[in-house]
């Protein structure tokens, strides 16, 4: 059963900002997936604010998403564009591999997912 689902994620990144130069960054994603379900999301409207250690920021709007469930993991891909800050106007893609939730499916349906961990890669096109 799908329903409107609130999405929040905190992330840490190591970013290549130019050849040979990396900076640490944190990201905070917030938004909604109007047709979210325990197995994934669709039609997301999610924003991410990425704060780089060098003082720069990027505000990303994700408006497309897919979820594929295979071999005990969820592969979530979000696509969108940078709307403000570093990389403004460029496309962005965020891929996340998540372990399947440890909750029983009935818990997910009633209370939602309380949290999960995974590996994320964010690419802002040059």
């Amino acid at each position: 059963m799908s329903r409107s689902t609130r999405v929040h994620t905190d992330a840490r990144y190591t970013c290549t900002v130019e050849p040979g130069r990396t900076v640490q960054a944190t990201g905070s994603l917030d938004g909604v997936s109007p047709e979210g379900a325990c197995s994934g999301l669709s039609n997301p409207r999610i924003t991410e604010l990425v704060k780089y250690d060098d003082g720069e920021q990027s505000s990303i709007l994700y408006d497309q998403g897919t979820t594929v469930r295979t071999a005990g993991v969820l592969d979530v891909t979000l696509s969108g564009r940078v709307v403000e800050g570093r990389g403004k106007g460029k496309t962005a893609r965020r891929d996340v591999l998540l372990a399947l939730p440890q909750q029983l499916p009935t818990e997910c349906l009633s209370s939602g997912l309380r949290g999960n961990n995974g590996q994320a890669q964010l690419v802002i096109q040059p």
Side-chain angles (χ1 to χ4, degrees), residues 17 59-61 79-93 123-126:
V17 293
S59 179
I60 303 168
L61 173 63
S79 299
R81 68 191 178 289
V82 180
V83 293
E84 289 184 33
R86 178 179 271 154
K88 183 176 179 176
K90 296 181 179 181
T91 61
R93 179 182 166 126
V123 175
I124 297 174
Q125 298 300 320

Side-chain angles (χ1 to χ4, degrees), residues 55-114:
E56 296 281 333
Q57 295 185 17
S58 296
S59 179
I60 303 168
L61 173 63
Y62 299 107
D63 55 6
Q64 296 178 9
T66 60
T67 303
V68 177
R69 183 179 177 156
T70 56
V73 297
L74 290 176
D75 183 358
V76 179
T77 301
L78 296 172
S79 299
R81 68 191 178 289
V82 180
V83 293
E84 289 184 33
R86 178 179 271 154
K88 183 176 179 176
K90 296 181 179 181
T91 61
R93 179 182 166 126
R94 187 174 195 275
D95 291 305
V96 184
L97 293 177
L98 299 166
L100 289 176
Q102 298 300 309
Q103 297 169 241
L104 295 172
T106 53
E107 287 181 85
C108 175
L109 292 170
S110 62
S111 64
L113 295 176
R114 292 184 296 272

Side-chain angles (χ1 to χ4, degrees), residues 19-32:
R21 181 171 170 246
T22 61
V23 296
Q24 300 299 307
T26 58
S28 181
L29 289 88
D30 283 290
V32 66

